[in-house]
Amino acid sequence: YGDAQNYLAEFMSFTRQIPVDVVVWTALEIRSDEEGKPIFGPKGPGKALTDVCGAWFTDVMHLDTEVKKVGGVPQKDAEGREILERKMFLAEHFPPDFPTVKFKAKTSAGADMPTVLPPNMKVFFEEAEKAKAKTRERLLG
């Protein structure tokens, strides 16, 4: 596993040299451990990689679904099934189907970046630009 993890880290670092504005990596998720505590994160060769690979990326997003609620009440369709909403998580959180297992997610856009968005990359980039502008304004006065 060590050789495969090292190769993947090296390969990923080379993508920073691609002359484009954005490079997007996708991954399946896996349940792993962080100092004896279960976590979810990107799947790679060996479980140890799940905890460390987040640092390789500027942003780590987690796409998932949650039951739609209005006033705390789960919404159901005409057949009595719960209505699910797709969401993009941008901060560490506990997925609804595994409330005891943290999912590693992060964003580098600043403190003003929402932690949950609709799963739409256009919305993500718009919100990231707004958050970065606010951070710049605060830092530069």
Side-chain angles (χ1 to χ4, degrees), residues 6-130:
N6 291 337
Y7 177 77
L8 185 59
E10 182 179 6
F11 183 78
M12 201 298 299
S13 71
F14 291 149
T15 62
R16 294 169 198 233
Q17 298 172 16
I18 298 173
V20 295
D21 292 334
V22 176
V23 175
V24 176
W25 283 72
T26 62
L28 296 173
E29 62 187 49
I30 187 171
R31 184 176 176 169
S32 186
D33 284 352
E34 175 185 72
E35 298 175 9
K37 296 178 184 172
I39 60 167
F40 275 113
K43 184 179 186 328
K47 289 186 176 186
L49 190 65
T50 301
D51 184 38
V52 298
C53 72
W56 301 348
F57 304 98
T58 306
D59 300 291
V60 177
M61 306 163 194
H62 179 225
L63 302 176
D64 209 338
T65 57
E66 281 190 332
V67 175
K68 181 177 182 179
K69 294 181 182 177
V70 175
V73 177
Q75 299 299 293
K76 297 187 178 188
D77 64 15
E79 296 171 2
R81 294 178 296 207
E82 292 179 327
I83 299 171
L84 299 178
E85 291 182 300
R86 290 182 174 90
K87 295 187 177 186
M88 178 189 304
F89 294 89
L90 303 170
E92 290 185 347
H93 64 282
F94 294 88
D97 52 344
F98 283 96
T100 59
V101 181
K102 179 174 53 175
F103 193 97
K104 309 265 297 185
K106 68 175 183 142
T107 182
S108 64
D112 294 304
M113 184 71 176
T115 58
V116 180
L117 290 172
N120 181 316
M121 292 305 290
K122 181 179 179 189
V123 172
F124 168 78
F125 286 118
E126 289 169 351
E127 291 295 327
E129 284 305 314
K130 286 189 232 173

